Amino acid sequence: MMDVFKKNRHRVSCLLLFACLITLSCTDFIARVDLQGDWTCLRSGKIVLYCRPSGFSGVPSPASDERDSLVSQQNFYYTVICDSIQKTFDDEVVIYLYNSDEAAEHIGTSGGGHAIPKLNAIYFTYLPGQREHTDPYGIENPLMGAHELAHVISHRTLGYPGTKLMSEGYANWLDGGYAGYGIAEIIRHYRDNEPEKIMTPDRL
């Protein structure tokens, strides 16, 4: 048996070396094409923000002052939401902010985002140049608003709602609007231009 091993020792050594080279080259290849590790991180209060560094892609990434502003706004909304539902929530919430040219591929939309409350996570698109507006809390042109954070905190503290209407209704109410339009503006539009789309409570 020892003789057989000695005769094949060179062959076994070559096979092991080849396997190691293949493994290392595959890892190196994956590391080179996987850009999901290329993030700038900002942690403040209860918010952890990951966004793309400057020059990451062909569209803008958030500048330093925008990152600071977004984190400050989300910490403010965090307190407002907890006060609104009269619940204590102490977990950090992680926000992944994708550039607009990659968001659809990674999160399914390039026009906003979504929350995964069980992971305390929000996935959102960086959208500079949105419609100018001031939210109900006096914040001018918020990059994200309170909507997705409301999903995370309310679902984690109150439980998952029985209907989508309750979940989305609460988040929209707390955010004060949708896509840069205030709730009152939206209601007026449908009242004056598309009243057939306003549903009665029974239909809801």
Side-chain angles (χ1 to χ4, degrees), residues 35 52-61 99-102 126 128:
L35 300 177
R52 298 308 195 180
S54 177
F56 175 81
S57 66
V59 299
S61 301
N99 283 358
S100 60
D101 60 351
E102 61 166 345
Y126 171 57

Side-chain angles (χ1 to χ4, degrees), residues 1 8 34 36 53 69 72 94 96 98 116 143 149 157 178:
M1 186 69 152
N8 292 311
D34 181 14
Q36 292 311 299
S69 179
S72 175
V94 180
Y96 292 93
Y98 288 84
I116 302 182
L143 281 172
L149 191 60
T157 57
Y178 182 77

Side-chain angles (χ1 to χ4, degrees), residues 62-138:
S64 174
D65 60 330
E66 291 177 302
R67 296 193 296 265
D68 291 342
S69 179
L70 188 147
V71 168
S72 175
Q73 291 166 9
Q74 292 298 306
N75 274 300
F76 172 77
Y77 295 138
Y78 191 109
T79 301
V80 169
I81 294 165
C82 289
D83 288 348
S84 171
I85 59 179
Q86 299 179 13
K87 292 287 184 181
T88 299
F89 186 68
D90 292 319
D91 293 2
E92 284 186 329
V93 176
V94 180
I95 299 170
Y96 292 93
L97 191 63
Y98 288 84
N99 283 358
S100 60
D101 60 351
E102 61 166 345
E105 176 187 354
H106 294 299
I107 64 175
T109 179
S110 59
H114 57 88
I116 302 182
K118 66 183 177 182
L119 300 179
N120 286 356
I122 297 169
Y123 302 85
F124 211 78
T125 310
Y126 171 57
L127 295 169
Q130 297 181 56
R131 179 178 182 268
E132 290 195 5
H133 70 288
T134 301
D135 74 8
Y137 310 103

